[in-house]
Amino acid sequence: MADKKTPYEVLGVAQESTEKEITKAYRKKALICHPDKNPDNPKAVALFHELSKALEVLTDPKARASLDANLKAKERQRLRNQALDAKRKKFKLDLEQQENLAKVTKESTEETEKRLKAEIERLREEGSQLLKEQQDLMRTQMQDKQQTPYIHIYDHTPKLKVKWKCKKNDERKGGYTEEILNTIFKKYGEVSHIILSTKKKGNAIVEFANVTSAKLALMNEFGNTDNPLNISWLEDPVITTEQTTAEAFASPVSSTPTSTSTTPSTISDTISDKDYESVTLMRLRQAQERKRLIEEMQKEDEEG
């Protein structure tokens, strides 16, 4: 079975490639295999998701460093295996030579027999040493497998604010139900939750499991052509103390006009409903916090 492709192989770039070259390669491949452009290809979504995961690792300095260390460890293993293969070949050749020598000469003296026994014992000792080296190699491989290149750097789940045209009494909700929105956005990655406002029609919050998926949706999704979606950050992703802002946003999305910073003042100007205000001011750190937020929004809708 062939080994799983590395993120470098998925994007078709070299390990020494710059982040700019990596981003360029991703955009080129994503343009070709985007699910919207390949509706008849059942593998398009999986391939697009694989490209997204590769971009996530290679644009994260810590994750890429860990990946590079992992690849170097595998290369060392390959060289050790190659050296062991050479030793095994020499061991087999020596043994065959000794056996052929014994057959050809057919020496019957006691001294000859002693020399042969000594040589066989030497070869057995070399075989034991080779076995020990193989066992050491297996232990090293097990240790290397415990390494992982994926590092979480954000302290809350990313959320997008989605708007579209919708009349007050439109039962079709402008063509976007919760199920339709989930179908649209899940092709970019795991969607944790979708919240539709019952007060203000044509408004929803889409919560993703990771920032990269949210960025891809923000950069690529436009919705239906007859009623396009207006997508922006509900709140900018918050960065932990382990990474600077420049590192976290070193991706094509950071330069996109729609991914502007959302401060408390701009939020109050654009979102007036209490349910949206509560979502903006609170960060969902755990599943229980998210559940409590949803219950509060539902309660406010019933009271209003």
Side-chain angles (χ1 to χ4, degrees), residues 203-217:
N203 283 264
I205 295 174
V206 179
E207 179 185 15
F208 283 89
N210 61 74
V211 174
T212 297
S213 298
K215 287 182 179 180
L216 291 172

Side-chain angles (χ1 to χ4, degrees), residues 87-97:
K87 288 184 178 181
R88 281 194 290 266
K89 289 180 181 179
K90 183 178 183 302
F91 172 78
K92 182 179 178 181
L93 181 61
D94 288 347
L95 187 59
E96 289 176 349
Q97 288 177 345

Side-chain angles (χ1 to χ4, degrees), residues 57-68:
V57 173
L58 298 184
T59 54
D60 182 337
K62 291 188 177 181
R64 183 176 181 182
S66 182
L67 171 63
D68 290 343

Side-chain angles (χ1 to χ4, degrees), residues 238-255:
V238 179
I239 310 161
T240 63
T241 55
E242 297 178 0
Q243 188 180 41
T244 65
T245 303
E247 291 173 338
F249 291 94
S251 68
V253 179
S254 61
S255 60

Side-chain angles (χ1 to χ4, degrees), residues 155-160 178 190-195 205-210 234-235 275 278-279 282-299:
D155 69 351
H156 73 289
T157 52
K159 297 175 286 296
L160 297 180
E178 182 177 342
E190 181 182 352
V191 176
S192 302
H193 211 82
I194 295 178
I195 306 172
I205 295 174
V206 179
E207 179 185 15
F208 283 89
N210 61 74
L234 179 63
E235 55 184 353
D275 50 354
S278 63
V279 174
M282 296 175 63
R283 292 173 181 166
L284 304 179
R285 295 181 181 273
Q286 299 177 351
Q288 289 297 328
E289 181 68 11
R290 179 166 61 250
K291 181 179 179 181
R292 186 181 68 80
L293 174 61
I294 295 170
E295 290 175 350
E296 284 186 3
M297 291 176 62
Q298 293 175 343
K299 183 178 179 181

Side-chain angles (χ1 to χ4, degrees), residues 178-238:
E178 182 177 342
E179 182 179 355
I180 291 174
L181 289 174
N182 184 63
T183 301
I184 290 174
F185 287 101
K186 72 179 181 180
K187 62 192 174 192
Y188 300 101
E190 181 182 352
V191 176
S192 302
H193 211 82
I194 295 178
I195 306 172
L196 277 74
S197 174
T198 57
K199 284 186 176 181
K200 195 171 184 180
K201 302 296 183 181
N203 283 264
I205 295 174
V206 179
E207 179 185 15
F208 283 89
N210 61 74
V211 174
T212 297
S213 298
K215 287 182 179 180
L216 291 172
L218 182 66
M219 180 173 63
N220 296 292
E221 190 55 53
F222 300 99
N224 300 328
T225 55
D226 57 343
N227 191 3
L229 296 174
N230 183 3
I231 306 173
S232 60
W233 288 116
L234 179 63
E235 55 184 353
D236 276 347
V238 179

Side-chain angles (χ1 to χ4, degrees), residues 96-159:
E96 289 176 349
Q97 288 177 345
Q98 293 302 324
E99 291 175 348
N100 292 334
L101 180 62
K103 292 178 181 179
V104 173
T105 59
K106 295 182 179 180
E107 295 181 357
S108 58
T109 63
E110 184 177 354
E111 186 63 27
T112 300
E113 291 179 355
K114 289 181 179 180
R115 287 200 302 269
L116 287 175
K117 289 181 179 180
E119 183 64 13
I120 292 174
E121 185 63 24
R122 181 185 69 81
L123 293 174
R124 286 177 177 173
E125 291 177 357
E126 288 185 2
S128 298
Q129 181 63 29
L130 181 60
L131 178 61
K132 182 178 181 301
E133 292 177 359
Q134 290 175 325
Q135 291 174 340
D136 292 340
L137 176 61
M138 290 179 64
R139 282 192 291 269
T140 302
Q141 290 173 340
M142 291 299 293
Q143 293 174 354
D144 291 339
K145 285 181 179 180
Q146 295 177 356
Q147 297 181 5
T148 174
Y150 302 106
I151 301 174
H152 298 286
I153 60 172
Y154 300 102
D155 69 351
H156 73 289
T157 52
K159 297 175 286 296

